[in-house]
Amino acid sequence: QVQLVESGGGLVQPGGSLRLSCAASVFNIENYVMRWYRQAPGKERELVAGIIGTGGIANYADSVKGRFTISRDNAKKTVYLQMNSLKPEDTAMYYCYAATTGHMYPYIYWGQGTQVTVSS
């Protein structure tokens, strides 16, 4: 039912910036836990950042704190991940994630992913 469409990935040099977008086909994005995950070849999928609640409380993986910012445009039903000071270690497929709130058993949805490559 819920569709998540990511965009904004690409090839960037170390130290560069990208902004990822995740458009969600939901009625009210504030009712969902929204997250960005990433997965590099041969590695576990890891949580990068999340945002939740009407106040938009955000959290980040230690590896991206100070460099990445997650934000949400409620009117556009879109979550963003602003990535600055990119490093080669940030190279991965980035996935948008949404989970329902206020339910005993949450429904979880994934986007198709967008590739981020940081290389000279």
Side-chain angles (χ1 to χ4, degrees), residues 57-115:
I57 298 172
N59 58 80
Y60 302 92
D62 288 341
S63 60
V64 306
K65 285 182 179 178
R67 299 189 297 119
F68 291 11
T69 302
I70 188 170
S71 62
R72 187 180 66 197
D73 187 324
N74 297 336
K76 294 183 177 180
K77 303 175 182 179
T78 300
V79 174
Y80 304 95
L81 185 67
Q82 179 66 46
M83 305 184 294
N84 299 326
S85 302
L86 283 162
K87 305 175 181 179
E89 305 93 274
D90 297 317
T91 296
M93 185 73 73
Y94 284 71
Y95 296 93
C96 185
Y97 161 110
T100 57
T101 61
H103 299 275
M104 181 177 296
Y105 301 101
Y107 290 88
I108 298 174
Y109 307 92
W110 292 91
Q112 80 287 350
T114 185
Q115 178 68 39

Side-chain angles (χ1 to χ4, degrees), residues 29-35 50-53 97-101:
I29 198 169
E30 292 183 338
N31 293 335
Y32 293 81
V33 176
M34 302 297 298
R35 292 171 174 169
I51 189 166
I52 189 172
Y97 161 110
T100 57
T101 61

